[in-house]
Amino acid sequence: MKRKILILYAGGTIGMQASEQGYIPVSGFEQLLREQLRVGATQQLPDFEVQELEQLIDSSNLQPSHWSELSEQLISQWRDYDGFIILHGTDTMAYTASALSFILQGIDKPVIITGSQIPLSELRNDAQDNLITALILAGNYDIAEVCIYFNGRLLRGNRSSKLKSTGFDAFDTPNYPWLAQVGIHIDLHPNLLQAGGSPEFLDKGYQVPDFNPDAVVVLPVYPGLSARVAQDMLNHSEVKGLILLSYGVGNPPDANTELMSTLEQAVQSGVTVLNITQCLQGRVSQGAYATGATLNRIGVVPGSDLTLEAAFTKLHYLIATQPAQKIAGLMQQSLCGELSE
Ligand code: ASP
């Protein structure tokens, strides 16, 4: 029996066309795709249907509310398909892949997000291979997690980052091996995959989280960072989480005691302050240096090897769904393969 896959087009370069202002998303993706597929190609592919979101976006305009919208689309049709592909812009694809991994925890089917650097409508594009291979993966392999497929790599969604702005090999997971390499053969590594479950959202009464876009802020550490800048960010009562992007293994400029006490006051007022590293690879070891140990003393939560995208969306997800006192503990546990404990 052929599997049936839903392709959900949310926007992004893959379905864009050139305009006088530059590339813009346009509707009509299904027609374009069916025109481009060679006669007979569809017989070799799983059955698929294409749906478009009402508002197609350049993913630079992504808002946390889009994660709720996308999840609702998937959840309401979960029993009707064997797998799901989301066509998404590359700029914020890793944020959406991470967010959906938390919202859709415990899934029993593949959700593969893909897109392209060159639109499907152009002759020399990476769109066709990305989409066709994503379809083959979703239609023929037992995958039960949110992934990104891009340029021969199947990646865990919540470990992914966009590392190249123009290369076809734009995505990678610097702290986790690829789930599959695609060349002449498709080498899927089942030992690296999440075990399939039975998703909680199939229970009646499940509510997709409603995200407050002001709840999480990001503060990169840089030479000269002042307490004033941090305080300005924290001045809004809706801020419930702050991600500190520190140096190396999690080191802040602790000689700035005013900055440290601003962070400490934030922790004491109930803001979750999470420490992740600016480095692309490796993890936080908060206490390897005396500078980092200062953060332990003031109650900052170490974020292990979370990517910024996973840290940001996980914090949003926990703030939207959990009581405040549980957040620090859950941030340090792996919920769906997003960090190394
Ligand atoms: N700006 C585009 C987007 O993220 C880039 C892309 O899709 O490659 O929607």
Side-chain angles (χ1 to χ4, degrees):
M1 258 282 273
K2 267 190 173 189
R3 290 189 191 169
K4 192 162 102 185
I5 309 298
L6 174 64
I7 301 174
L8 202 54
Y9 176 49
T13 296
I14 191 162
M16 285 192 182
Q17 272 175 24
S19 77
E20 276 174 16
Q21 291 78 42
Y23 284 121
I24 48 166
V26 289
S27 68
F29 189 83
E30 174 156 25
Q31 197 190 342
L32 182 65
L33 175 64
R34 300 225 184 246
E35 277 166 16
Q36 296 233 347
L37 287 177
R38 279 182 294 107
V39 180
T42 41
Q43 279 152 22
Q44 295 173 50
L45 291 171
D47 292 333
F48 65 88
E49 286 168 13
V50 182
Q51 294 175 8
E52 293 186 0
L53 290 191
E54 217 161 284
Q55 261 221 310
L56 301 174
I57 57 164
D58 182 310
S59 79
S60 328
N61 284 317
L62 184 87
Q63 293 288 326
S65 59
H66 286 112
W67 303 325
S68 311
E69 187 190 346
L70 277 168
S71 309
E72 270 160 12
Q73 291 285 341
L74 298 184
I75 290 170
S76 64
Q77 305 185 79
W78 196 258
R79 294 182 206 269
D80 304 333
Y81 297 91
D82 303 302
F84 300 86
I85 291 177
I86 300 174
L87 303 178
H88 194 287
T90 60
D91 288 342
T92 54
M93 187 182 285
Y95 283 93
T96 293
S98 299
L100 294 189
S101 77
F102 300 118
I103 302 171
L104 305 176
Q105 274 175 72
I107 51 177
D108 52 349
K109 297 174 184 177
V111 173
I112 302 182
I113 308 181
T114 193
S116 67
Q117 296 278 49
I118 299 182
L120 182 65
S121 58
E122 296 194 6
L123 186 59
R124 194 179 67 82
N125 71 69
D126 54 333
Q128 205 179 97
D129 173 65
N130 284 348
L131 176 49
I132 286 179
T133 308
L135 263 173
I136 290 170
L137 285 162
N140 300 284
Y141 292 84
D142 292 329
I143 298 163
E145 60 178 288
V146 179
C147 305
I148 286 181
Y149 176 75
F150 217 87
N151 193 57
R153 302 169 184 174
L154 183 72
L155 306 170
R156 171 156 302 151
N158 57 33
R159 293 281 194 159
S160 306
S161 292
K162 183 178 180 183
L163 300 185
K164 295 188 182 175
S165 61
T166 56
F168 282 162
D169 55 343
F171 287 89
D172 209 337
T173 47
N175 284 319
Y176 200 73
W178 302 344
L179 304 178
Q181 280 117 302
V182 180
I184 290 180
H185 304 291
I186 293 181
D187 290 321
L188 180 75
H189 307 295
N191 57 316
L192 297 174
L193 297 174
Q194 288 285 109
S198 62
E200 199 192 319
F201 58 71
L202 292 179
D203 298 346
K204 283 208 179 70
Y206 179 84
Q207 290 260 304
V208 168
D210 195 11
F211 298 103
N212 176 352
D214 291 326
V216 181
V217 293
V218 182
L219 178 63
V221 165
Y222 51 85
L225 170 64
S226 68
R228 227 170 342 106
V229 168
Q231 193 55 60
D232 282 352
M233 277 191 157
L234 289 160
N235 270 345
H236 308 273
S237 60
E238 287 174 68
V239 172
K240 299 282 180 275
L242 179 143
I243 296 173
L244 188 70
L245 271 172
S246 63
Y247 302 126
V249 291
N251 303 319
D254 75 332
N256 185 340
T257 50
E258 216 191 320
L259 175 64
M260 294 301 107
S261 75
T262 302
L263 295 179
E264 186 172 14
Q265 278 160 28
V267 172
Q268 279 167 6
S269 71
V271 173
T272 303
V273 179
L274 178 77
N275 180 24
I276 60 171
T277 175
Q278 296 178 9
C279 297
L280 282 182
Q281 197 154 38
R283 60 192 289 175
V284 160
S285 173
Q286 202 171 271
Y289 292 84
T291 45
T294 304
L295 296 181
N296 285 332
R297 279 197 296 280
I298 64 178
V300 170
V301 180
S304 182
D305 54 1
L306 284 169
T307 61
L308 170 60
E309 296 88 336
F312 183 80
T313 56
K314 184 174 178 180
L315 203 45
H316 256 299
Y317 171 77
L318 293 178
I319 288 167
T321 60
Q322 298 293 326
Q325 68 276 14
K326 287 182 79 177
I327 294 177
L330 288 169
M331 275 313 301
Q332 294 171 80
Q333 285 168 33
S334 168
L335 303 184
C336 43
E338 73 279 10
L339 59 74
S340 310
E341 283 182 33

